[in-house]
Amino acid sequence: MTLEDFINFFTKNTGTIIEYTENHFTLVLSAVAISLVIWVPIGLLLTKNDKWAARVLALANTIFCIPSLSMFAILVAIPTFGLGRKSALFALVLYAMMPLIRNVYDGVKNVDRNVIEAARGMGMSSGRIMREILLPLGIPIIFAGFRITVVMTTGIAAIATYIGERNLGRFISEGLVRSNTPMMVTGALIISLIAIGLDTILGVIEKRIVPRGLRINR
């Protein structure tokens, strides 16, 4: 493949590239948003019960080990989901379970117990301790899980093309079938740029919300 081949493919298929990029981007953002709403609160609740935490984390690890194509195939076979975005969203949210819950749990649990006991000695309630101590001190680990989830979701979303999603993964799958290198490279390149771009933006946000003392220690 030459640069000219790549440019020709890009110029001839600009409309399709934009459509697939938008579909890919919205799928990723929807999955991440739903995952944050579900898994972060659950991760915080699990910090209060280690027995349940072990069970839920074991389940999350098991789900995470299921190959993505197999997961999509299982969901498609369920009438409620079928082909399309429902199955893709559900699968991506399930995959986000492990990194989000794990990092929220670890972030809170890794806070120095002496700091927590000192806060209790000052009469702080459990809610205040969570808001003012555990979350601020655990945010570096929690945010790392968030960044992992975003990058991972961006990549796995490409597999959803096999269940009817019209996203950038279609360029890769159809490019393989047609032995069309420019098509494959276009899909792979844009997916990589989305992942790198989102991770870079999150890195900037992380520097702003992570307390300076924690950033220096890191």
Side-chain angles (χ1 to χ4, degrees), residues 16 19 24 34-35 48 50 53 56 72-73 94 147 203 216:
T16 305
E19 177 192 350
H24 200 104
I34 294 170
S35 299
K48 302 180 183 299
D50 290 339
V56 174
F72 287 129
L94 286 179
R147 292 177 68 173
I216 292 173

Side-chain angles (χ1 to χ4, degrees), residues 96-111:
M97 181 181 181
M98 195 279 287
L100 282 178
I101 289 183
R102 167 69 67 183
N103 281 58
V104 169
Y105 180 80
D106 288 346
V108 172
K109 282 295 187 179
N110 283 339
V111 174

